Amino acid sequence: MLNRRDVVAAPSALAVMAVPAGVEASLADVGLPTAIRERIAKVVETYRVPTFAYPEPMSADEAAAALALTDADFERLEPLLVFAQRWGVCLDWLVQGDVSGLLPDGRHSREREGRVGGSEDA
C-alpha cells in the first residue's frame, strides 16, 4: 500500500535515478552550502513530526545525520542524492533552490498532446 510520501517521492526518485553515474559538480556551480543546509533543515523540520499524511516521522538519528552533512559531503553529491530519494525531495530544489521542479506541469504535457489551444504541434 502506498502512502502519500511514496506518491510524492516517485517523481524525485526518477530524477535522482536520471543523474548519470560519476557526475561531478562544484558547489560554486550548483548552490551554496549554507542554502543547501537551510533546505535540509526545512525537510527535517517537516518530517520530524508524524502527521496523518506522513505517519512515519524522520528519526532523531537520521535528522541529526542530515543536519551534520559537511561541505565535502555536498561536493560528492551522493549523500544529497540519497537524502533526496529517501524523503522525496526534488533534487533541483534541494541543491539549487529551483522550485519549478516542485510544480506539476500538466499544461505543458497537454499542449504537447495537442489538447490545449487547438495546436496539433508535437
Side-chain angles (χ1 to χ4, degrees):
M1 180 175 193
L2 294 175
N3 64 26
R4 181 180 160 107
R5 184 178 299 148
D6 294 331
V7 172
V8 172
S12 68
L14 293 174
V16 169
M17 290 187 297
V19 175
V23 169
E24 294 183 17
S26 168
L27 289 179
D29 296 334
V30 296
L32 300 173
T34 302
I36 295 171
R37 282 190 182 84
E38 288 171 359
R39 289 188 283 273
I40 288 172
K42 287 181 183 181
V43 174
V44 168
E45 180 182 330
T46 300
Y47 287 112
R48 286 196 62 178
V49 178
T51 63
F52 179 76
Y54 303 103
E56 298 172 20
M58 182 182 291
S59 71
D61 291 340
E62 192 168 358
L67 294 171
L69 291 174
T70 65
D71 291 359
D73 292 328
F74 295 161
E75 287 291 337
R76 289 189 340 212
L77 281 181
E78 183 181 352
L80 291 176
L81 293 172
V82 170
F83 181 79
Q85 186 173 19
R86 167 85 170 104
W87 294 102
V89 177
C90 175
L91 192 57
D92 287 340
W93 173 76
L94 183 64
V95 175
Q96 296 178 307
D98 181 6
V99 298
S100 64
L102 303 174
L103 306 171
D105 193 5
R107 179 178 177 162
H108 180 70
S109 298
R110 289 189 307 275
E111 285 174 344
R112 283 189 310 196
E113 294 171 5
R115 294 183 191 165
V116 173
S119 172
E120 294 297 324
D121 297 342

